[in-house]
Amino acid sequence: GYEGEVATLTKYYADPKVVAVARGRVPAVLARAAALLPKLEVMSLRKCEALTALPDLSGLERLQTLDLYQCTALTALGALPASLQTLDLRFCKALTALPALPASLQTLDLRYCEALMALPPVPGTSLQTLNLNYCNALTALPPVLGTSLQTLYLHDCKALKTVPDLSAHEQLKVDNVPDHLAAGAQGGFQALSL
């Protein structure tokens, strides 16, 4: 049953707060992870290339890090936990949209999410780093990017047409502004030193 799968997953780890699955199939236990792994803080599903959807993880009340690096077939994410601080979706090339982001999120890494077309609003004041390098299908950034954003990466965002006015972000460093935005007034970069 599910309890046996959890025991199998966690017996290799000294700390039951961490579950990692690499290059494998995601066990069915994820659908019941909230009930079976209430203390889980880190979930790494790196290179689970057959993973197409992630279930609702909002019940994982202590989850701080979700690592989905190179889950290349991933197209959908369920609801995310309110406690999440780091979301790594690098090389999730089939992902087209994201669910609502929790206000606690500090780092969002979307490098090489080549099918991602839009971002949900970024609530709260926690987000510090947003990496959108090589998000080739992304056409716009949300109108609000939180108030704590310190670093925004935009390398090779060829389809990006508009960004919000970022002049209120005094400490913001914008890296690799696409040429077509840097020259335009609609870029929102007028008060920044690039």
Side-chain angles (χ1 to χ4, degrees):
Y2 287 111
E3 288 78 10
E5 290 180 41
V6 171
T8 300
L9 279 174
T10 58
K11 77 178 183 179
Y12 298 105
Y13 303 97
D15 188 348
K17 296 176 183 176
V18 177
V19 167
V21 178
R23 288 191 181 270
R25 297 182 64 114
V26 178
V29 73
L30 284 181
R32 294 199 30 194
L36 298 172
L37 301 168
K39 295 180 181 178
L40 188 66
E41 293 178 0
V42 176
M43 182 182 290
S44 178
L45 302 174
R46 294 181 142 236
K47 297 184 180 182
C48 289
E49 294 161 351
L51 179 67
T52 59
L54 201 65
D56 179 341
L57 298 177
S58 61
L60 292 172
E61 297 174 356
R62 294 186 186 180
L63 189 68
Q64 295 175 7
T65 301
L66 180 56
D67 182 357
L68 298 169
Y69 169 79
Q70 210 168 346
C71 292
T72 54
L74 185 67
T75 60
L77 296 177
L80 299 170
S83 57
L84 195 65
Q85 295 175 6
T86 301
L87 180 56
D88 186 347
L89 293 165
R90 289 176 293 155
F91 292 94
C92 291
K93 294 182 177 197
L95 190 65
T96 58
L98 295 175
L101 299 173
S104 60
L105 195 64
Q106 295 175 9
T107 301
L108 178 56
D109 197 338
L110 297 166
R111 280 179 277 179
Y112 292 95
C113 288
E114 296 171 347
L116 186 67
M117 298 171 60
L119 293 177
V122 179
T125 59
S126 298
L127 189 66
Q128 296 173 9
T129 302
L130 177 57
N131 196 326
L132 301 171
N133 286 347
Y134 303 99
C135 289
N136 300 328
L138 188 65
T139 59
L141 297 183
V144 177
L145 288 173
T147 57
S148 297
L149 192 62
Q150 296 174 4
T151 309
L152 175 61
Y153 297 94
L154 297 172
H155 184 71
D156 210 26
C157 292
K158 295 174 184 174
L160 193 60
K161 293 181 175 87
T162 60
V163 296
D165 182 3
L166 301 171
S167 59
H169 296 271
E170 296 176 10
Q171 302 299 316
L172 180 62
K173 177 186 175 210
V174 181
D175 192 43
N176 292 313
V177 177
D179 292 337
H180 66 279
L181 287 177
Q186 70 178 13
F189 301 107
Q190 53 272 39
L192 301 176
S193 116
L194 303 174

